[in-house]
Amino acid sequence: AKRNGRNRHEVFRPEMEAAARVRRQIEIDLRRALHRGELQMHYQPIVEKAGNRISGYEALIRWRHPERGSIPPIDFIPIAEETGLIHELGSRALNLACQEAATWTNGETIAVNLSPIQFKSSELVSMVALALADSGLAAERLELEITESVLLDNSDGNIRTLKALKKLGVRISLDDFGTGYSSLSYLRSFPFDKIKIDKSFVQEIGQSREAMAIIRAITGLSSSLLIETTAEGVETEEQLRRLMEEGCSHFQGYLFGRPEAAENRMQRLDWPVV
Ligand code: C2E
Ligand code: CA
Ligand code: CA
Ligand code: CA
């Protein structure tokens, strides 16, 4: 076993070095990207059942790399988090999204993702306040999406920060609910405005009784706590129908529209949802 272990180490070492090199290169490129404006936001519609309309959008970051083409967030957000670049990147993302949303004329909301690492900054609350002031966006049109890991570590300090954010008048959503170390007690520790049901559950509708049972539990709980629910990753009419039956209030997914650059933002539903 020992010999095996050593061999394994030798076999994988060049690969690990190559991976480390790619990460270093991405870090260097990312610093440059921040200065050259290679990062942009795309906007995906969120559909509200009541009113049968697009009530808002989620802002999703995109990196158009001059040589590598489009790099998905999963390939650079973790590196930005490890290197601390997430603070600058997150602030840029928030400011771009608020400025764009301030030009929309039907009161649409804008949901912006916050990394748990951003909660380590004592400047997070003032950064959000400044983005609102600079853009002129009304606070109630901004939703901040956080994941449960924000509630896991340093939860006392982070809950204080969340309360300070709420005091600004913004709304707070719990993203990716049901994945990770989800605990129902999180819902007691902070008054969330919205829960987002992770797409991994939505995509198992019709195939997994367990996934459906979890969705039912989440929507039941949210409605008794008066919290709105957005189902993400809705791709089929069958999924939509089942989610409506369960009382979900909002829907997001390719069935309605993909994330698009500001100039191509989907502005109207192509067909009535209800
Ligand atoms: P997320 O917050 O859970 O965002 C939802 C992801 O699902 C997005 O992937 C979106 O494009 C994708 N999606 C939407 N509808 C569908 C659908 O019907 N089917 C499928 N298969 N996928 C769908 P994306 O844009 O690649 O973003 C991935 C993750 O990167 C996000 O997951 C979020 O965690 C992170 N991210 C994106 N933008 C930002 C940002 O500005 N800041 C931070 N901190 N994280 C970001
Ligand atoms: Ca999100
Ligand atoms: Ca999500
Ligand atoms: Ca996710």
Side-chain angles (χ1 to χ4, degrees):
K2 224 176 171 174
R3 223 186 115 77
N4 244 344
R6 192 162 57 231
N7 282 345
R8 191 154 52 227
H9 187 67
E10 276 159 15
V11 169
F12 281 98
R13 215 171 130 199
E15 235 173 73
M16 285 164 59
E17 275 176 4
R21 217 167 22 245
V22 169
R23 294 172 85 77
R24 267 196 305 278
Q25 191 58 49
I26 289 183
E27 181 186 346
I28 293 164
D29 288 6
L30 199 48
R31 277 182 208 285
R32 191 197 54 191
L34 277 162
H35 295 289
R36 293 197 185 162
E38 290 165 21
L39 297 172
Q40 58 165 203
M41 304 311 284
H42 279 198
Y43 301 90
Q44 184 178 33
I46 297 174
V47 171
E48 186 180 21
K49 182 177 164 190
N52 207 8
R53 62 179 193 124
I54 294 175
S55 58
Y57 299 80
E58 180 174 2
L60 294 155
I61 200 161
R62 296 291 179 263
W63 179 5
R64 297 203 328 219
H65 190 288
E67 288 112 44
R68 289 171 211 242
S70 177
I71 304 180
I74 186 90
D75 287 344
F76 65 90
I77 294 285
I79 296 174
E81 290 177 332
E82 281 167 29
T83 56
L85 283 171
I86 192 71
H87 296 290
E88 199 179 336
L89 184 151
S91 155
R92 183 71 55 88
L94 179 68
N95 280 284
L96 285 171
C98 288
Q99 269 153 24
E100 170 61 24
T103 69
W104 302 341
T105 49
N106 295 319
E108 295 92 340
T109 58
I110 181 72
V112 178
N113 292 283
L114 286 187
S115 158
I117 307 291
Q118 290 180 270
F119 280 79
K120 297 198 195 305
S121 160
S122 56
E123 252 120 78
L124 180 60
V125 179
S126 54
M127 194 266 280
V128 173
L130 201 59
L132 290 170
D134 281 351
S135 61
L137 185 75
E140 64 268 21
R141 290 177 59 196
L142 177 62
E143 281 179 20
L144 298 174
E145 297 195 355
I146 66 153
T147 55
E148 60 202 16
S149 59
V150 167
L151 303 168
L152 262 178
D153 70 62
N154 182 28
S155 60
D156 284 358
N158 288 354
I159 284 171
R160 266 197 302 278
T161 303
L162 284 171
K163 288 188 171 151
L165 288 170
K166 266 213 91 154
K167 238 178 143 183
L168 296 176
V170 306
R171 295 156 51 88
I172 311 284
S173 303
L174 189 52
D175 203 355
D176 298 346
F177 193 72
T179 63
Y181 299 94
S182 275
S183 155
L184 297 181
S185 68
Y186 293 148
L187 300 180
R188 201 182 51 190
S189 59
F190 184 77
F192 289 97
D193 298 290
K194 202 181 232 183
I195 292 176
K196 297 193 79 171
I197 301 175
D198 193 68
K199 60 175 178 285
S200 60
F201 299 111
V202 172
Q203 286 168 359
E204 282 183 24
I205 290 175
Q207 292 154 42
S208 154
R209 293 167 55 92
E210 290 77 10
M212 203 60 228
I214 290 169
I215 291 172
R216 185 162 299 150
I218 297 174
T219 51
L221 193 66
S222 329
S223 78
S224 34
L225 294 172
L226 305 176
I227 303 175
E228 294 183 329
T229 43
T230 300
E232 60 173 36
V234 183
E235 294 182 355
T236 70
E237 301 214 19
E238 168 70 1
Q239 289 165 352
L240 174 64
R241 190 179 61 75
R242 302 284 294 272
L243 289 160
M244 282 208 273
E245 282 170 9
E246 297 307 327
C248 271
S249 58
H250 295 73
F251 313 94
Q252 177 182 2
Y254 298 163
L255 179 64
F256 307 103
R258 293 186 177 250
E260 300 279 4
E263 60 272 23
N264 299 324
R265 174 175 59 98
M266 188 183 154
Q267 298 197 35
R268 264 170 296 281
L269 278 180
D270 298 333
W271 43 275
V273 172
V274 190

